[in-house]
Structure formats: structure tokens, C-alpha cells
Amino acid sequence: QYQAYDLMGVIIGDGADTLEYNGLHVGRQGTDLWMKNADGFTRWFNPSDFTSTLIFGYAPGGIQNYAGNANLNPYKYYASGLNPNVNLWGFLTGGSNHNGLFESGDGRLMVLEFVLPTDGIGIKFGYAVVCCWEEQGQNPPGGYTPYHRDEAIAANVIVTPDIYYNEVDGSGGSLILDLDLFSWEEQPSDIKIESSVLDSIMEFDFDTYAGIGGENYSTWHVEAEAKPLTSGENHYFWVIAESQGYDYKNGLPEIPSPDDVLASFFRYDLEILSESPCGDLVPDVETINGENPVGLFASNHTGLTMEGSNFEAGDLIIEVEKHADLYATSSNVTYVDSNNLLFDIDLTGLDWDIYDVRLTNGCGEQLDDLAVGILEIYNIIPVGTPNADVTHGGVPKDLAVNPAADQTAISYNAPKFREYSDDYTTNVERDSWFNNFNNQYVQLGTLDGQPQLIWYNHESSPWYPGQYMCWSWADYDGWQSAQSQWQPQSGNIMYDIANLQGTDELWCIFNWFGLGFTFFGTKADYTYIAFYHTHLGSNNFFGGSGDEGVIPENLVAIDMAQYQGSSRDMYILEKLPSTNTAEVELWRIGYDPVFLGSFGEDFLYNALDITVDSTYNIYVLEYNSGGHPVIWAYDDSFNLIGTSGPISPEVLSGDALRIDCALSTDPDEVHVLSTESVTRFAMN
């Protein structure tokens, strides 16, 4: 009357062994009846768990009235077209599996193979016939809707021999499996591996082990490091495939049956090699994180990828070295396959440099020294709150960092600015100031008709050039309306303004009626310091002649460090149109400026801004030849000592604009402003 599907003949016996998984009892070879050619193991209808006297329980029968105590028992799968000499996996994945149908009135002969029992055990077992069915007549003649079981019904496992044991060398290697599971309905929701060579049950991370395959089956590649072994015999592994959302109740909760999740079980003997399986494979590393060379911040990294070929599972080691000196060693190296590895590595504290990377293959001995240049360490790294949004109120133009408390002020393309907390999480909007000189609010980007507008600060005040008016970080009470010591006049062009660190002196540089550069200094209380008209001196600073000249239209930005002795020194960032690069020049300012050195020519490209920290390190913000913003750091002897590398949009979104140094942190930090964000960096 019925068409049966997924029919299993279950051989039920005793179980002397206990799985870690749910404490299930299963037969032991040499102690219990042992079936060699099982298609799998099932929990269905064992006498210990299914105690109902109805159809959904086990009823002992026969002369012996035998009821084995094993929870898991072996089964053979029966279906139309499946003969004893046909492999079940090939049958199910082939084109003539008849949907696993066992036709009414039909019969199939299966051969069950048992290990010759030990004396006293004998051939004694119970059995259950387990199937799903569809009643005839519900569908048109000749057509039936298959009703399949919810769990996986077959497995195909290929083992890569890798685990070894001998008394001299001990043991090593990994359990390496290529695992196929067949299900008519859904693929397993969870897969677990229990083995005599593993310390605990291995649970799949489906993000790491992604199954690939056909409509009814998937393949997973599995690798797990073996625990130390004390013997090379009697090892095994179980594949346990769970189907979450299903159980053993058959929709009848009142029937006595297990409450555990429905699962399939497949057991395999495991060969242990007598020596290490290492071959002569030499790994070929091609890329790290998909790049070669690759640049990484000098910080702790997790989940890096290494791509190449001839990778071997086992004790894989990745090291960062230079001139045979070891600087960092990997951790948590995961063998994905022979072409891919995952690893973590802590690069904190490494200097900016080019390093070699060395891979020791899983079997040891075989090494690959990657070419010099494979790994560049960036030692200017993001710190604090990365990529803070500062787009409130318009397009940012410039920023100033309070050196005493790390507050930041940002000017916008409007008669407004904002004062931010040190982590940029809060801000206060402020009005721009009223210019008594022309009786209007100074608009950003105009500065009394001039093209530049730069926001600066010294230890207590941020400044705008040309208007030498300031406000206090501590007690803001509006912009002062008094006239400044110097007012830009027609024909004068202001270029930039800078504070002399550690003082309240503010200096600007401008073109005096087209005659040459003039340096002007004042204090926060508008006390006049000095005018230095360089065109009146003997040094041809303005003309740009020779290597020491500065041409006004090429000047980009200035900054000043602390007093160098009793002199005031100014760093000047200047474009070099002849080479499409830029350089930073250090000048001791005065009527006759003294040239003290330079750096960056033929190296710096689209330079945007400079800033100097409390130890005379000079930071330059530029767009490199590839169009990416980069921070470069030079020491007081003009040696290149660090870089941020190309800064990604995830670290600094928008177009880079300006840079300023926070002097109250250790080490000093630099804040980089873009059209959309601010990101803080520090030299590692």
C-alpha cells in the first residue's frame, strides 16, 4: 500500500564505548558485534531511547528476546536499483537513484559484513526497519511525491594521511578530511568531528569551512591539529551532521524518544603513519592580503591571508626578519588548503622599514624566503577614534589642535567654526569674528579678498592670519574686536601663519607689495615683536635664485618648532614645479634669512601641509604619485624615519586637507583633516 523512501536496515547490538557527543553508547570492536560495511550509524529506534510499545518504539523479538543497549547502531541503505556491489555514494549522486525509492512489493538483498566475533560474543543482534513513505493514490498514477528523511543519509570522506606516531620522534600532523554529505532535503546545520586524535569535539565554523557541491550534497575541507599520541593503533573519527530544528519525536511529543537534535553519524578507522609524511615540497608564497609587496601598520594584526602554492599542513610558522634578525613571529596559523593560509602577527613597535617574510612549511625543513620588499612596515599608525565625522556645518577647511588639552578647532566654509573635544565625540559651534577693518564678518576662503585662510593656535589660542585676534580655549567669550598689530593692505598676500612652540609668539609670512617676503611676529596680547623685510637684506631669499631661494607662488605652508638656541627657525614647504615634487626648507628668519637645510626634493609629490612635534620631528602630508594621502616623518637631521603608507578611505574618508600636531600626548600625535573626517595618528 505504500511507497517507502530512504529505507534503512538497522543492526542493533550492545555498546561498550561512549562518545563525548551526548554520551551516546556505541559498539566496540572485539567486545561487541562489529559491522564492517555500514553505510552510517543512526539513533533511530534503539531500545534504550525508544521505549514505546507502539510502532515508534523498539519491540524485542525472536527466541532470544534480545535488546541491545547501544544508542548508535549501524545501518545499510536499501533502494530500488541499489545492489550489494554498488557504492551507495555513487548510486545517490548518479543519475538513476530513483529518489531513494523502495517500491512496494519489491525486495533487495544487501550483504552485511561482520568482524569474526571473539569467543563468547556470537552473532546476536536485534534490528529495525526505518523508512519514510508516501501513500499510493494521493497523486496521479505513476507519480509520487518523495517523502525523505530530514538528516543526511550518506557520507563520502577522503582522508589525507598526515598524522604519524613512532617511539623515537613522537607524533605530529593534522586530521585532514575532504568531507561530502548527501541530504535529500537541507544540508546539515552543524557538523562536528569527534576523534581519538583530537582533544575535543571540533565544531565547524561555516565562515571558514564553506561547503561547495551539487544540489543534494556539499563538500567541506577540514583540518585540525592532532593531539600528542601515545600509540599508533586503534584510532578513528566520527562525522556528526546535525539538523537543527528537527528531533526524534515524529511530531508526537507524547511518544518516549530522545529530546536531542536530529543527527547522522558516520564512523571511519584512521590510519596513523609510522613516520612524518613530509615530502620535498617547497612553499611558494605569492601574496599577503592579496598584495605583493604589502604594507602593514606597526600594530597587532589578525586574520591576515597568505596566498601561494605547495603549503603543507602542520606546524606552519611565518616570521618577519631582516638581515637574518628576527622581528616578529606569527600565531594562530590556519591551513586552509595548499594555496591559502590564515595567520595573526603582532608588528607593534617595529620601525618603518622593508622586511623579509619567511614561511616554514607544516612539515618543517622546507623554507621560502620572500623577496626583499614583500613587507613594508608603516610606523605612523591610527590611534584613538578613527575617522571621526566632522562635516557638521559645512565643508571643513582647516584645523588647530590645542597643545595643552588636545581640543581641536575646525574652520568651515561659512562664518562658523567648531570646537571639538579631544576624541571628537562632542563639539560646540562658534561664530566667526567681526572684522572692524572692513566692517563685515570674515568669510572662510576670502580673508579680506585674499585666497588663503589658515587656522592656527598657540598654547592658549587659535589664530587667523592677517587679523591677529584670538580667543581663549578655556573661557571663550567671543572674538576680540580690537585692531591687530598688522593689517593686510592692498598688494600684500598672506601665505601662512605659525606659532613658535612653547611661547605665545605668532609669526606670519607674506609678500610685501610684491617686493619680497616679510616675516612679521606678534604676541597674543598684540605686542609687536619684529618685521623682517628680507628684500632689504643681502640674502636673495625672495628671488628663488640657487637652491636656497623661496618663490612666493610656490609656497604651500610653514610651521615653527621650539626655540633653537636664541633663534627663531621656520620650516617652509615649497612646491618645485621643475620636478613636480616639493621640499621642506629650514630657515633661521631675519632680514638676512639663513638656510639650514632641506629635504623631500624628487620624493614629495602633491604636498599639502607640514607640522612639527615637540622633538623636532617634521610631518608632511601629501598625495603620493598614486593619488593616495600619505604622512611622512623626518627627524631633526632630515632623515626619513617613518610613514603612514597610503591611507585608505576606511582610515581617512574624503579628500585630505591639513595636518596639525597635538603636543600633550606621548608620543605626540598628528591630526589629519579631510573634507569628511579627522583621523589621529602617532608614530609607533
Side-chain angles (χ1 to χ4, degrees), residues 41-199:
F41 285 71
T42 185
R43 195 170 177 180
W44 282 114
F45 301 123
N46 71 80
S48 300
D49 291 324
F50 295 84
T51 58
S52 171
T53 58
L54 302 176
I55 188 173
F56 295 118
Y58 178 83
I63 298 175
Q64 296 173 330
N65 198 30
Y66 174 73
N69 61 21
N71 302 113
L72 293 181
N73 293 285
Y75 67 81
K76 291 296 289 184
Y77 187 88
Y78 290 75
S80 297
L82 176 60
N83 295 316
N85 59 344
V86 174
N87 173 268
L88 176 59
W89 183 263
F91 170 76
L92 291 172
T93 57
S96 302
N97 57 32
H98 303 286
N99 271 319
L101 170 66
F102 189 92
E103 294 179 300
S104 176
D106 198 359
R108 283 290 181 273
L109 174 68
M110 287 293 144
V111 176
L112 310 185
E113 298 181 8
F114 296 93
V115 175
L116 184 64
T118 327
D119 290 344
I121 295 179
I123 302 289
K124 182 173 60 174
F125 58 86
Y127 70 89
V129 178
V130 187
C131 67
C132 303
W133 69 82
E134 180 72 29
E135 187 174 1
Q136 294 188 29
Q138 289 187 346
N139 296 299
Y144 302 98
T145 301
Y147 185 85
H148 291 297
R149 64 181 65 252
D150 298 305
E151 69 267 42
I153 58 174
N156 181 54
V157 180
I158 298 175
V159 181
T160 299
D162 189 70
I163 304 175
Y164 65 92
Y165 170 81
N166 62 69
E167 294 183 353
V168 176
D169 300 324
S171 66
S174 295
L175 180 63
I176 305 174
L177 310 176
D178 287 287
L179 166 64
D180 302 310
L181 289 172
F182 187 97
S183 301
W184 291 111
E185 302 298 328
E186 302 173 7
Q187 287 299 306
S189 58
D190 291 284
I191 301 174
K192 297 176 170 64
I193 306 294
E194 180 171 334
S195 174
S196 60
V197 301
L198 300 179
D199 279 321

Side-chain angles (χ1 to χ4, degrees), residues 104 137 224 346 665:
S104 176
D346 191 354
T665 56

Side-chain angles (χ1 to χ4, degrees), residues 537-560:
S538 60
N539 188 309
N540 193 6
F541 180 90
F542 168 58
S545 61
D547 295 332
E548 300 182 355
V550 178
I551 299 176
E553 55 265 32
N554 294 338
L555 195 147
V556 178
I558 65 171
D559 201 15
M560 301 177 74

Side-chain angles (χ1 to χ4, degrees), residues 297-299 348-350 352 378-384 613 617 619 631 633 641-645 647 651 659-662 665-672 679-684:
F297 287 123
S299 57
T348 302
L350 267 64
W352 170 60
Y378 304 144
N379 64 335
I380 301 177
I381 64 176
V383 296
D613 70 13
N617 293 321
Y619 298 84
I631 304 169
I641 58 172
T643 181
S644 66
I647 304 174
V651 177
I659 190 170
D660 199 21
C661 194
T665 56
D666 185 18
D668 293 341
E669 295 177 358
V670 291
H671 295 220
V672 179
T679 299
R680 295 155 55 188
F681 294 83
M683 191 176 304
N684 185 281

Side-chain angles (χ1 to χ4, degrees), residues 247-516:
D247 55 27
Y248 295 90
K249 294 295 185 182
N250 288 292
L252 301 172
E254 69 277 7
I255 300 297
S257 56
D259 293 325
D260 294 331
V261 64
L262 182 63
S264 299
F265 302 82
F266 305 94
R267 186 195 184 281
Y268 298 87
D269 290 326
L270 185 61
E271 177 189 4
I272 304 299
L273 303 176
S274 59
E275 60 183 13
S276 171
C278 292
D280 297 325
L281 292 179
V282 176
D284 179 17
V285 178
E286 298 175 358
T287 59
I288 296 176
N289 272 11
E291 298 182 0
N292 185 3
V294 63
L296 297 173
F297 287 123
S299 57
N300 192 23
H301 297 270
T302 58
L304 297 179
T305 63
M306 178 175 282
E307 301 84 17
S309 59
N310 292 335
F311 298 162
E312 290 182 319
D315 190 15
L316 287 148
I317 303 173
I318 300 169
E319 298 168 312
V320 174
E321 60 180 31
K322 185 177 179 65
H323 303 314
D325 293 328
L326 179 63
Y327 288 89
T329 301
S330 61
S331 61
N332 300 323
V333 181
T334 301
Y335 177 94
V336 179
D337 53 42
S338 61
N339 304 107
N340 297 276
L341 305 177
L342 299 174
F343 67 100
D344 304 337
I345 195 163
D346 191 354
L347 304 175
T348 302
L350 267 64
D351 293 331
W352 170 60
D353 210 336
I354 307 297
Y355 295 84
D356 299 330
V357 177
R358 173 184 287 255
L359 169 66
T360 301
N361 226 349
C363 287
E365 302 299 327
Q366 294 80 38
L367 305 175
D368 184 35
D369 290 317
L370 306 187
V372 173
I374 184 69
L375 178 60
E376 181 177 5
I377 301 297
Y378 304 144
N379 64 335
I380 301 177
I381 64 176
V383 296
T385 303
N387 215 342
D389 182 8
V390 294
T391 56
H392 319 283
V395 179
K397 290 294 183 181
D398 200 3
L399 84 164
V401 181
N402 181 352
D406 291 345
Q407 296 165 289
T408 303
I410 296 178
S411 59
Y412 289 85
N413 189 20
K416 302 283 184 181
F417 69 94
R418 286 179 181 266
E419 177 188 342
Y420 288 85
S421 60
D422 59 347
D423 60 0
Y424 295 94
T425 57
T426 59
N427 68 90
V428 179
E429 185 179 271
R430 306 295 194 190
D431 290 326
S432 180
W433 74 95
F434 186 76
N435 183 358
N436 288 330
F437 184 73
N438 56 13
N439 293 315
Q440 64 181 2
Y441 283 99
V442 173
Q443 299 295 314
L444 292 175
T446 61
L447 186 56
D448 302 330
Q450 298 180 37
Q452 286 82 16
L453 180 64
I454 310 299
W455 177 287
Y456 260 80
N457 82 102
H458 67 74
E459 287 160 329
S460 63
S461 308
W463 298 77
Y464 276 92
Q467 294 302 120
Y468 290 0
M469 301 177 183
C470 65
W471 58 277
S472 169
W473 287 99
D475 299 307
Y476 175 80
D477 57 3
W479 288 99
Q480 299 182 31
S481 59
Q483 292 284 31
S484 61
Q485 285 290 331
W486 174 80
Q487 195 71 38
Q489 303 175 42
S490 178
N492 296 338
I493 299 177
M494 173 77 71
Y495 289 97
D496 203 356
I497 194 167
N499 163 244
L500 184 63
Q501 283 183 20
T503 75
D504 62 355
E505 292 185 20
L506 191 68
W507 286 85
C508 70
I509 183 170
F510 61 95
N511 188 348
W512 182 263
F513 297 103
L515 298 176

